[in-house]
Amino acid sequence: MVAPNIHRFQMRDVQIAHRNTKNWSDWVALNTVRFFRWGMDLVTGYRHPKPNEVQPARFKMTERKWLTRFIFLESVAGVPGMVGDMLRHLHSLRRMKRDNGWIETLLEEAFNERMHLLTFLKLAEPNWFMRLMVLGAQGVFFNGFFISYLISPRICHRFVGYLEEEAVITYTRAIEEIEAGNLPKWTNLEAPEIAVQYWKMPEGERTMRDLILYIRADEAKHREVNHTLGNLDQLKDPNPYQTQYVDPTQPHPTKSLDNLSGTGWEKKDIYQST
């Protein structure tokens, strides 16, 4: 969503953040994400070490294992935006009314997540087992998310917000591993051309670390957007990321990393600026 507008100093400032649950629907969304996280950890052989814990050898993350995790994550992450976009598009057609700008943002999100996947596929081709797991996970997830979005779009956006929190954690830890010298094959590895063109990566800033910084920034923005959309009336409120603000000097949601909120914008803080 924010690829053309990312600045390097903003990418470095992206932080891990968590939105506390405020009601039962938030609790359902968060614990569903935790279940998915457990499954992804199991499939990709990942376990983050606890403080002062020596990581067992079987959980040591190599470059290949990180790519497997990224591919699995991105193959699923591209589903929610497209499902939400499709259902809102059809809803708009049935009602013969405009969608208040939500469709555009959800489509941008789906496209951005797909670009993440295509980038990682240039670096590693998944084996038959991984392809089978992705196929199964995507098939189950698409249908489950489709039905869930019909029932409660708000819970679905909160779910995606929590899912993107996990994505930011994953990419932050990968960056830390690169900086610690634990992934030597990525130290001087150049980003694929598809990534250079998409993010307009400048000369001298096209390493694997740089690439993951861009992707983490995208995920941080998706985190904010979905938590924000989860705070709004799904049928009546306009999309704050497609809104013209009367006083643009006042803090408000943007398509870039400006005014990035890790836990999303509350409704009362958005529309006082419109």
Side-chain angles (χ1 to χ4, degrees):
M1 172 174 186
V2 296
N5 303 310
I6 297 178
H7 297 293
R8 188 168 180 81
F9 74 91
Q10 292 176 315
M11 293 191 298
R12 288 197 299 267
D13 290 342
V14 168
Q15 300 292 321
I16 292 172
H18 173 64
R19 180 185 177 89
N20 293 324
T21 57
K22 297 184 178 181
N23 48 49
W24 71 269
S25 59
D26 287 357
W27 184 89
V28 169
L30 176 59
N31 282 278
T32 304
V33 168
R34 286 175 173 170
F35 173 76
F36 274 95
R37 169 68 185 269
W38 171 82
M40 188 171 72
D41 288 351
L42 182 65
V43 170
T44 58
Y46 175 86
R47 190 185 76 174
H48 189 68
K50 298 176 182 178
N52 302 319
E53 178 189 28
V54 178
Q55 186 77 301
R58 68 180 183 277
F59 292 120
K60 178 178 173 57
M61 293 295 288
T62 63
E63 293 87 350
R64 178 70 191 189
K65 290 176 72 173
W66 273 117
L67 283 174
T68 298
R69 186 174 179 82
F70 295 161
I71 290 170
F72 191 83
L73 172 65
E74 298 299 346
S75 66
V76 172
V79 171
M82 185 56 68
V83 171
D85 176 74
M86 176 181 65
L87 289 176
R88 295 193 69 95
H89 171 73
L90 294 175
H91 187 253
S92 177
L93 294 178
R94 289 195 305 274
R95 296 175 67 228
M96 299 184 185
K97 291 183 178 180
R98 298 184 65 178
D99 185 64
N100 291 325
W102 289 53
I103 291 173
E104 290 85 348
T105 292
L106 295 177
L107 186 59
E108 288 172 357
E109 177 183 309
F111 178 80
N112 181 251
E113 297 287 12
R114 187 172 66 88
M115 291 302 297
H116 294 175
L117 176 61
L118 293 177
T119 296
F120 288 131
L121 288 175
K122 290 292 184 181
L123 296 169
E125 282 292 330
N127 58 31
W128 66 269
F129 176 75
M130 188 61 190
R131 288 179 180 274
L132 187 63
M133 293 300 298
V134 167
L135 181 63
Q138 191 177 86
V140 172
F141 182 60
F142 177 90
N143 289 287
F145 196 83
F146 180 89
I147 294 171
S148 299
Y149 204 93
L150 288 172
I151 297 171
S152 177
R154 196 192 74 78
I155 293 179
C156 287
H157 285 296
R158 183 71 71 224
F159 167 85
V160 178
Y162 285 129
L163 187 67
E164 299 295 2
E165 288 182 6
E166 294 293 338
V168 172
I169 292 172
T170 289
Y171 289 119
T172 297
R173 290 172 177 169
I175 292 168
E176 290 171 350
E177 286 283 284
I178 295 173
E179 293 175 342
N182 296 330
L183 302 172
K185 294 179 182 178
W186 285 359
T187 302
N188 298 310
L189 181 65
E190 288 284 314
E193 185 60 25
I194 187 175
V196 173
Q197 295 298 321
Y198 179 65
W199 282 283
K200 298 180 174 56
M201 300 172 72
E203 288 281 355
E205 298 178 3
R206 297 177 179 177
T207 66
M208 191 64 180
R209 176 181 175 276
D210 295 316
L211 172 61
I212 297 178
L213 282 170
Y214 278 97
I215 293 176
R216 184 183 66 169
D218 286 342
E219 304 295 10
K221 193 62 187 182
H222 298 325
R223 176 186 65 189
E224 177 202 280
V225 168
N226 281 279
H227 275 319
T228 299
L229 296 181
N231 294 334
L232 307 181
D233 186 310
Q234 305 294 299
L235 294 178
K236 297 179 181 179
D237 288 335
N239 177 5
Y241 297 94
Q242 299 285 344
T243 298
Q244 294 290 328
Y245 290 87
V246 175
D247 184 2
T249 63
Q250 293 295 317
H252 64 271
T254 69
K255 287 190 175 185
S256 69
L257 291 182
D258 296 333
N259 302 329
L260 182 68
S261 172
T263 58
W265 288 77
E266 298 297 330
K267 182 174 178 177
K268 62 181 177 61
D269 297 325
I270 297 172
Y271 295 118
Q272 68 182 7
S273 301
T274 57

